[in-house]
Amino acid sequence: TKEMFSATYQELQQKFTEVFGQFFPGGRAELQLVDEPPAENGEPSGNQEPGIEIVAQPPGKRLKSITMLSGGEKTLTAMALLFASFLIRPTPFCLLDEIDAPLDEENIGRFTGVLKELAQNAQFLVITHNKRTMSIADSLFGVTMEEPGVSKLVSVRLGDLQPV
Amino acid sequence: TKEMFSATYQELQQKFTEVFGQFFPGGRAELQLVDEPPAENGEPSGNQEPGIEIVAQPPGKRLKSITMLSGGEKTLTAMALLFASFLIRPTPFCLLDEIDAPLDEENIGRFTGVLKELAQNAQFLVITHNKRTMSIADSLFGVTMEEPGVSKLVSVRLGDLQPV
Amino acid sequence: MHLKSMNMMGFKSFAEAKIEFPEGVTAVVGPNGSGKSNVVDAILWVLGEQSTKTLRSEKMEDVIFNGTELRKPLGMAEVSLVIGGLDPAMMKLDGGSGLPSELTEAQEMMITRRLYRNGESEYLINKIHCRLKDIRSLLLDTRAGSKGHTVIAQGQIDQILNASPQDRRELIEETA
Amino acid sequence: MHLKSMNMMGFKSFAEAKIEFPEGVTAVVGPNGSGKSNVVDAILWVLGEQSTKTLRSEKMEDVIFNGTELRKPLGMAEVSLVIGGLDPAMMKLDGGSGLPSELTEAQEMMITRRLYRNGESEYLINKIHCRLKDIRSLLLDTRAGSKGHTVIAQGQIDQILNASPQDRRELIEETA
Ligand SMILES: Nc1ncnc2c1ncn2[C@@H]1O[C@H](COP(=O)(O)OP(=O)(O)OP(=O)(O)O)[C@@H](O)[C@H]1O
Ligand SMILES: Nc1ncnc2c1ncn2[C@@H]1O[C@H](COP(=O)(O)OP(=O)(O)OP(=O)(O)O)[C@@H](O)[C@H]1O
Ligand SMILES: [Mg+2]
Ligand SMILES: [Mg+2]
């Protein structure tokens, strides 16, 4: 229903701006409702509902659009939106598969900071190759293939992992 | 011309199998020429030339197709094909932008091993966040934004980088 | 509501394995190709996932353990997920499913999905056969089924940024 | 043939910067958003790249330094790339370009590309105006222009695996 969407939208907008500020201190981001441009032939698109545009500005920069963000900046912006939507409609668990891959050390720190906050009320399963992300986890389990082609689960302590 | 393609194809096939063997010791890979399947309506596709199928089998596994490879296995297989084509038609320089992102420590070691071999006759510019990849480089340069939004280039020694 | 444990038999590279799910943040680690993303696929599958593309397969039978150089392929894949901390008042099983009412009093529930090589599939709640619809309606009340931000598959995080404004609206509505 | 140095003025986030290219493997490092991929874009651009999508832009003017909170946008982007170790016998400049013949005796060459906000663009070889065609034909002889496996942009490594068999053939022919 229309009222429901606009209430959710307002909440999401607010949380998105908040989490983005935690990932990009001094930066600014918001969502904008945009009407769909008429098709090439001038026909109105027929879609009554407006779409959602994302504006994200890392600190000190003057970007024209999110297509100019770097690989890591894009991932961090997408995470801010993901975590914002989790904050307004929490689910009991969340599975994240190597979402930290493009991030540098500093941004891994920011990502894991917010992650720890969210994990107070939900289970987070985070697949990662990054030692820093592993180091903040409450528990760790390993997947191995001692027998080629057959996966086994083993419990792992952080100390077990070979040093970089 | 047709003869040229088939000569290149044979060379590529051989090098691909070789480099794949270095990345996946005990594994096996090959290229296959496949005719394009007729379109849904039974019309033969107008395309005279066969396409190229990739078969890749990590050691001990019995995969039905490359879609079942993991994220890291896919990247390593794509790299094997890339390096094979570099070996048969070398170019003076090669730019690789964070291609090591999905790899685990062991595979980073295999990737950098082959990279060092290839870099004997060409310049390789490798953008990376991985300390192990940095450690094998002949030289290092850093890109920073001391002034927000304005990039500068600085020369970096490996020791300068903050420890993990 | 929380995930308690999961038992996988013949699902992708897991011939037979069991996981206990702790609270808080759990890091899943291991070499490339060892089976980490297959754990995510197992959770999606037992919760009713129908898209083969999401499960990185060409057809649904590709999720059944396909064998190795030393082992034969298996004839069936089975995943059972135990969900704990349920609030019985929340569980509105629709009368039509014929599932026994004590299900609605339980604190815990086990959801099972099976697939045979011949394409036949089965769904069970606490070992009692049911329909996918029953599992879906159970999950709806616990918000465990909602896809929106529950699962981010490998390489998919930038999807929402690259989507069109219209598609983003739909993705966000799914969350609402 | 090898890359010797590159000078960037007003290209993306580089208001003004110069790089010397060493031999062997050079690792380029730096925080997210600092400008590493922009270096790759600069090399592609000066070698004649025409696709805005490959340059992560909506229109070609987006490559011109757009300013920051403290600096004004610039009116022009200019990149000059010095290529060394050329074999004069290899360089077959086509007579029609009117470029002086001593160009073909040089060991080194500087290629320059400029773009103004009004959309006008210029190409130069050793500071002498020329056409893109001239740069392309020069590069053809040194194989520096061949796209195939020379540049793998961020996130693109799996392209060749995900492509259709027909597209793979074309990608491989480009290399031949
Ligand atoms: N039906 C099946 N039977 C047997 N093995 C399978 C089946 N489906 C997939 N696999 C195996 O699972 C492996 C991929 O596992 P997965 O994608 O979970 O790896 P991963 O641990 O996520 O690795 P990465 O770190 O590279 O992402 C493949 O190598 C494949 O051999
Ligand atoms: N025309 C322009 N004017 C000014 N700045 C620009 C312009 N085009 C792009 N940028 C800036 O360049 C930055 C992106 O740089 P780049 O993609 O090279 O980062 P990166 O170092 O590769 O980061 P990552 O490690 O995240 O991939 C953007 O944040 C944007 O501000
Ligand atoms: Mg994976
Ligand atoms: Mg980059």
Side-chain angles (χ1 to χ4, degrees), chain A residues 52 85 95 97 123 138 151, chain C residues 3 13 25 34 37 149-150 168:
Chain A
I52 292 180
S85 102
L95 312 176
D97 195 344
Q123 290 167 298
D138 302 312
S151 297
Chain C
L3 304 180
S13 53
V25 179
S34 58
S37 299
H149 46 259
T150 311
R168 282 191 204 125

Side-chain angles (χ1 to χ4, degrees), chain A residues 5 47 49-50 52-53 75 85 89-90 92-95 97 123-124 126 128 138-139 141-143 145 147 151 153, chain C residues 1-3 13 19 22 24-30 33-34 37 71 143 149-150 152 157-158 165-166 168-169 175:
Chain A
F5 176 76
N47 203 326
E49 320 283 14
I52 292 180
E53 198 51 80
T75 292
S85 102
R89 295 281 179 277
F93 67 89
C94 196
L95 312 176
D97 195 344
Q123 290 167 298
F124 275 80
V126 182
T128 180
D138 302 312
S139 41
F141 67 72
V143 185
M145 268 190 181
E147 180 189 338
S151 297
L153 293 151
Chain C
M1 181 262 177
H2 60 268
L3 304 180
S13 53
I19 303 180
V25 179
T26 303
V28 180
V29 302
S34 58
S37 299
R71 292 195 188 206
R143 288 192 60 75
H149 46 259
T150 311
I152 303 292
I157 179 74
D158 289 349
Q166 290 304 326
R168 282 191 204 125
R169 181 202 167 82
T175 317

